[in-house]
Amino acid sequence: MYKEGSPTSCDAYDRVTDPVGEDEVGEIWIEGGVPLQGKIQIQGSKNAVLPMMAAAILHEGITCLVGCPQIEDVYAMEQILNSLGVKTAWVEHSLYLDCRNIEKTDISPGDARRMRSTVMLLGALLGRKGKISFSQPGGCVIGKRPIDLHLQTMQAMGAAVWEEEETIYAEMKGQLRAARVTFPFVSVGATENSIIAAVNANGITQLENCAIEPEISHLCRFLQAMDVEMKGIGTSSLWIQGGCSLRDVKYEVPPDRIVAGTYLLAAAATRGKVILENAPVEEMGAVLRIYEKMGGQWNGNGGKLMANAMKLSRPISYVKTECYPGFPTDMQSILMAVLLTVKGNSRIEETIFEDRFRVVSEFQKMGAQIEVKERQASIHGGVSLFPGRLCAQELRGSASLIVAALAVKGESVVSPSRFIERGYENLEKNFSNLGARIRVRE
Ligand code: EPZ
């Protein structure tokens, strides 16, 4: 079954990833070496819809998110909202959120640890109910991921914030105070939380040095659709008029730029030719530039991304992950998987998360020649890799292992499967539609 020397056991991995420690069931079987060819539809964006689900709480009415991705992180957020009193219903890919009765403001430890985005409820529940408690989300495999910036901003808006036995409490007597906040460094989540908190604050909140990831602009446009008055959308300076009366809204979730980038680079790793319908090409500039530098060809029109990687052959001498519009950290390990297949030396620097090279040890089990020094990984690509049993430890690392396995002749298994299910809808169906031999097995 496996080539001599390929690993047969999956090393114990860092359970910090998911301290609730579900049973490690589920694996993804892949027989690699097939160039991907065909057409798939890109799902709704996980990182855009999670803050929208939290922000829906601000409005004592009904919100509908159309084209909502059916992924574990959305179900986890839905369950947390249900525990607070939100009634939810799915009609195909539309998620209805009835937020007329919010009965609770404490999030159970199990729920809070299940998904980091529970911290997004901080601004929403403070804005709606003036209080919240949740367990310290803790770090994950890619880094400590503190939430100090989130908490500091709520304090700047008048909330009392304290911690007791690993539970965080935040309370505000009356309305949050509009504030002028300058973030000491760029944080996507802290920017989103602050925007959400500002919606019900009394007066005008000004946020400086905001993150400008597309998900922030999508959140702002979602709030505008609910009748929130805002200025500066798409820039690092945001102006939010608090206290607007909100209305029911039916809002289209934008396509997922990281999922689209994942399928693009999976085609690159297998030298395939794919069409990604509904891909947000205008948000994928940095990834497409790297794809071109490797020799990939593409064109995008009318919401379709057509990509041909048959001639892809060039290494990337140096690329670093940066805040948007730079090369996204979420694509870092997935690009690494492609560079393993390209003859020559490449180098990647990870500047956002301190521990996002965890997947390197799994690539090395496949025979990859990668050297990590502090924040830089040097890849000697083009050496022949062998298939094997690969250990998934977090969401995008799992995707990168799948991409590597698709590129290598022979049978590999990536397990457990639950990490990939957090962010990728219909993974098996999509890759099968592109000609891959892949099975997700319980
Ligand atoms: C969001 O995480 C995304 N998650 C991440 O995607 C993405 O990698 C990240 O932004 C960067 O683009 C969601 O949108 C749900 P940050 P977030 O706050 O908000 C430090 C995926 O795979 N920091 O911009 O947590 C932090 O430790 C995920 O879909 C503080 O120190 O990222 C990191 O080093 C992974 N204190 C840096 O800032 C804080 O209070 C950037 O983090 C907040 C952040």
Side-chain angles (χ1 to χ4, degrees), residues 333-349:
S333 55
I334 299 162
L335 172 64
M336 191 181 285
V338 181
L339 293 170
L340 297 180
T341 71
V342 173
K343 205 167 175 45
N345 294 325
S346 299
R347 196 154 48 97
I348 302 181
E349 181 172 7

Side-chain angles (χ1 to χ4, degrees), residues 46-47 50 116-117 142 144-150 185-190 192 213 257 329-330 352-354 356 395-396:
K46 167 178 87 78
N47 290 351
L50 290 173
R116 292 189 41 73
S117 298
I142 65 174
K144 293 190 202 58
R145 305 188 72 181
I147 59 169
D148 48 336
L149 230 46
H150 299 246
F185 54 83
V186 171
S187 158
V188 172
E192 291 167 338
E213 268 64 8
R257 63 188 173 103
T329 173
D330 293 349
I352 308 287
F353 288 109
E354 67 274 22
R356 213 165 194 174
L395 172 57
R396 306 303 176 187

